[in-house]
Amino acid sequence: MTSMIIVESSVKPGLTAFQASAEDQAEVHELILKTARWLHSKGSAQWGKLLRGEDDHNLGGAIARGEVVIFRTSKDHRLAGAVILQQQPSAWDSRLWGLEETDSEEGTSVYLHRLVVDRDNSGKGLGRELMQWIEQGIHFAGKDRIRLDCIAGNDKLSGFYKQCGYTYMGETNGYNTFEKMLINS
């Protein structure tokens, strides 16, 4: 298994990145659920399975593998955001990206899931700053791209990913897929 190396911990003044630990799991889970409830209130089906208690991305396992980064404010150490960065494709990713076990390309991708920003920090550009930090503040040994997806009907989120420099790769099973090559891989 390849390791994720956090090159720098400061995202911006007042915000620091940390690798999540088991002690952070309940708080991260609640932030993700809070976001899922907000999406549902806006009429989006994105992350609807979470509201039914299903977690395709296994937050606990991702934390145990060191694949979850949390972002805390320096002032009060409050959780401002989180993200899962999987270095091996999950069953979900393999289906979505059409990967097979013999596919050599799968080893060069990082799969970004569950990027969340606390609703109190939304609309302030924090999501974009976190995306930039993910690309520049972490070194992924042997990885040259980040892949992510979102529900196909979420035009706002799709537009956000395009604004962050991700290339739309197509739609698979009702999900838009995006990819961005890493400069310092």
Side-chain angles (χ1 to χ4, degrees):
M1 170 180 267
T2 12
S3 63
M4 176 171 57
I5 301 167
I6 297 179
V7 174
E8 59 183 76
S9 60
S10 178
V11 177
K12 67 177 194 169
L15 191 68
T16 305
F18 299 91
Q19 200 155 7
S21 68
E23 293 79 32
D24 300 310
Q25 184 172 341
E27 189 178 11
V28 173
H29 181 71
E30 183 52 40
L31 179 60
I32 292 171
L33 283 177
K34 183 178 177 182
T35 303
R37 288 190 290 269
W38 175 79
L39 287 165
H40 182 73
S41 78
K42 298 293 181 188
S44 174
Q46 183 109 15
W47 297 4
K49 286 183 173 183
L50 286 169
L51 299 176
R52 296 188 302 271
E54 301 171 37
D55 183 5
D56 290 328
H57 301 298
N58 183 8
L59 178 63
I63 288 174
R65 290 186 302 275
E67 298 173 336
V68 179
V69 177
I70 58 174
F71 304 91
R72 293 194 178 275
T73 60
S74 301
K75 181 180 174 184
D76 55 8
H77 207 62
R78 205 173 80 143
L79 186 62
V83 66
I84 298 173
L85 299 166
Q86 296 176 320
Q87 295 191 55
Q88 297 299 320
S90 64
W92 168 268
D93 296 314
S94 293
R95 284 190 305 274
L96 199 62
W97 290 91
L99 302 176
E100 297 181 23
E101 289 183 34
T102 58
D103 192 344
S104 62
E105 183 183 349
E106 70 182 325
T108 65
S109 300
V110 172
Y111 296 88
L112 186 152
H113 294 289
R114 305 281 191 239
L115 174 69
V116 290
V117 172
D118 183 68
R119 301 304 316 148
D120 294 339
N121 291 304
S122 66
K124 301 174 184 173
L126 182 57
R128 185 179 318 279
E129 290 173 333
L130 298 184
M131 293 293 282
Q132 288 172 344
W133 184 87
I134 289 163
E135 297 163 21
Q136 299 166 4
I138 302 176
H139 173 73
F140 300 97
K143 306 297 181 176
D144 65 2
R145 71 194 74 209
I146 296 177
R147 289 179 167 174
L148 53 85
D149 65 87
C150 70
I151 201 161
N154 193 333
D155 295 336
K156 186 173 182 177
L157 189 54
S158 291
F160 170 74
Y161 292 139
K162 289 176 187 175
Q163 289 174 356
C164 289
Y166 284 76
T167 302
Y168 173 72
M169 303 303 288
E171 182 182 330
T172 304
N173 300 327
Y175 290 86
N176 289 342
T177 56
F178 296 88
E179 181 175 89
K180 185 172 187 178
M181 300 305 289
L182 295 170
I183 297 171
N184 298 321
S185 55

